[in-house]
Amino acid sequence: MKKILLFLLLLSISLTPNFKVSAQEVRITYNKLHGIAYNQKIDGKLKSNTVTMFQMGDRIAYCIEPGVEITDNYYDIYTDWSKVDFSDELKEYIEKVGYYGYEYPTHQTNYYYIAAQELIWKAVRPDMEVTWTTGENMTGDVINISKEKEEILNLVNNHDLAPSFSEKEVKGEIGDTVTLVDENNVLSLYEISESKYHKVVKEDNKLMITLNDNVVPSERLSLTRKYYDDAPLLVYSKGNSQKLAALRLTYDKETYVDVLNEEIPEIVKVPNTGVYNFSGLVGTLLVGAGIVLAKIH
């Protein structure tokens, strides 16, 4: 009897589809942007329809395969680019366009959504032509989104701009306050790691470092880019259906500034001689006839 029950249990498990491990699924939602139509010309063929803003759960997504049809309502979710055969350079660019597109603060307009979508399409298929009109099939008025595209591209092109003092060594005497001014005007976009030895204050476009009163080892402070939210990159894939992506940045790299404090050299004059002893330095200073010669070992 026990053998029969065990056989039936194993049989029921093998026939139950829920035991198959698969990626999490999400259903696509179509939010039509009435009065805005896309007109794609790919390989000489024109495709046109009312624009749809795609929503995958609580995320806004972009098409990343221009010319490919959407043939499925349910998509598997991936947290990396493993299902997409793009170069790293292309993936990094698309991430930046999506990051600075519709969801970027002050960009929540339909025109910013289609501006980002066009930039993504053109990055994937540089040979395609895109025109936005108020009616399908090139009817109605042409919609001009040059301002939105220019704004997104300016942000994309300046994204890798780090504070002007990054990747440099800052030296100062013990107890002094060193003020670093960011000539690139991007310091507000970065978080500074906590210092183990020194007092570090970020104020507007300045970084003020009050050095330790005692000589301490050289320290590297990390400068990390801040984001407007902590949402992850998500890529949506299902068979041969059009792939989509909710875009965030995954290629960002930290930068840094090295801080070193040094002891103040003590200068002691030996009475009735022209010889000076430097505490912390071995040297001889000869003074005569208005000429100063220094020999440092």
Side-chain angles (χ1 to χ4, degrees), residues 24-81:
Q24 184 181 353
E25 279 192 334
V26 65
R27 181 171 183 167
I28 188 171
T29 299
Y30 301 90
N31 299 318
K32 284 192 174 294
L33 305 184
H34 297 287
I36 304 178
Y38 70 83
N39 302 272
Q40 288 183 349
K41 198 169 185 180
I42 303 176
D43 298 329
K45 297 179 180 179
L46 178 66
K47 292 181 61 177
S48 181
N49 207 337
T50 299
V51 174
T52 299
M53 182 185 292
F54 299 105
Q55 189 162 343
M56 314 295 279
D58 61 349
R59 300 293 301 276
I60 298 297
Y62 296 94
C63 292
I64 56 174
E65 291 183 310
V68 178
E69 298 289 340
I70 293 178
T71 58
D72 209 300
N73 288 327
Y74 288 89
Y75 276 79
D76 295 331
I77 305 172
Y78 300 87
T79 56
D80 58 29
W81 289 101

Side-chain angles (χ1 to χ4, degrees), residues 99-100 104 159 189 191 224-231 248-253:
Y99 178 81
Y100 289 114
Y104 189 72
H159 179 82
L189 302 176
E191 296 281 4
T224 308
R225 187 88 182 200
K226 295 190 295 186
Y227 302 131
Y228 58 78
D229 67 15
D230 58 357
R248 289 298 185 272
L249 301 168
T250 64
Y251 283 80
D252 268 4
K253 302 177 181 66

Side-chain angles (χ1 to χ4, degrees), residues 103-119:
E103 293 171 284
Y104 189 72
T106 74
H107 286 189
Q108 284 76 49
T109 69
N110 294 340
Y111 283 10
Y112 269 110
Y113 180 78
I114 64 174
Q117 182 64 85
E118 179 181 330
L119 291 171

Side-chain angles (χ1 to χ4, degrees), residues 34-240:
H34 297 287
I36 304 178
Y38 70 83
N39 302 272
Q40 288 183 349
K41 198 169 185 180
I42 303 176
D43 298 329
K45 297 179 180 179
L46 178 66
K47 292 181 61 177
S48 181
N49 207 337
T50 299
V51 174
T52 299
M53 182 185 292
F54 299 105
Q55 189 162 343
M56 314 295 279
D58 61 349
R59 300 293 301 276
I60 298 297
Y62 296 94
C63 292
I64 56 174
E65 291 183 310
V68 178
E69 298 289 340
I70 293 178
T71 58
D72 209 300
N73 288 327
Y74 288 89
Y75 276 79
D76 295 331
I77 305 172
Y78 300 87
T79 56
D80 58 29
W81 289 101
S82 58
K83 290 293 180 178
V84 182
D85 188 21
F86 291 163
S87 68
D88 287 346
E89 182 181 14
L90 178 57
K91 287 183 284 191
E92 183 176 359
Y93 174 78
I94 289 174
E95 286 182 2
K96 290 175 182 176
V97 170
Y99 178 81
Y100 289 114
Y102 175 80
E103 293 171 284
Y104 189 72
T106 74
H107 286 189
Q108 284 76 49
T109 69
N110 294 340
Y111 283 10
Y112 269 110
Y113 180 78
I114 64 174
Q117 182 64 85
E118 179 181 330
L119 291 171
I120 292 168
W121 281 341
K122 294 283 285 183
V124 178
R125 287 290 302 264
D127 61 320
M128 73 179 292
E129 299 176 17
V130 183
T131 306
W132 307 92
T133 53
T134 56
E136 296 177 12
N137 296 308
M138 297 294 291
T139 61
D141 298 324
V142 174
I143 297 172
N144 184 353
I145 55 169
S146 57
K147 179 178 74 70
E148 287 79 9
K149 288 191 292 185
E150 183 180 359
E151 168 71 8
I152 293 172
L153 286 176
N154 282 338
L155 290 166
V156 168
N157 293 334
N158 290 325
H159 179 82
D160 293 329
L161 194 61
S164 57
F165 49 76
S166 66
E167 300 188 11
K168 295 180 181 177
E169 185 181 67
V170 178
K171 288 183 180 180
E173 295 177 347
I174 56 174
D176 279 359
T177 297
V178 179
T179 299
L180 305 175
V181 179
D182 175 25
E183 296 176 358
N184 292 335
N185 296 307
V186 295
L187 183 60
S188 62
L189 302 176
Y190 284 81
E191 296 281 4
I192 313 299
S193 63
E194 186 175 349
S195 174
K196 182 179 178 182
Y197 305 112
H198 314 288
K199 179 182 178 183
V200 180
V201 177
K202 186 175 73 169
E203 184 177 292
D204 298 327
N205 209 38
K206 298 177 181 178
L207 191 66
M208 290 164 285
I209 306 173
T210 301
L211 300 171
N212 200 300
D213 289 332
N214 299 305
V215 175
V216 294
S218 177
E219 181 179 30
R220 175 160 292 184
L221 301 179
S222 297
L223 306 175
T224 308
R225 187 88 182 200
K226 295 190 295 186
Y227 302 131
Y228 58 78
D229 67 15
D230 58 357
L233 166 79
L234 295 177
V235 175
Y236 307 96
S237 177
K238 195 70 170 184
N240 294 323

Side-chain angles (χ1 to χ4, degrees), residues 267-270 273-278 283-287:
I267 303 175
V268 181
K269 182 178 179 180
V270 179
T273 71
V275 178
Y276 292 78
N277 291 332
F278 290 79
T284 303
L285 182 66
L286 301 177
V287 182

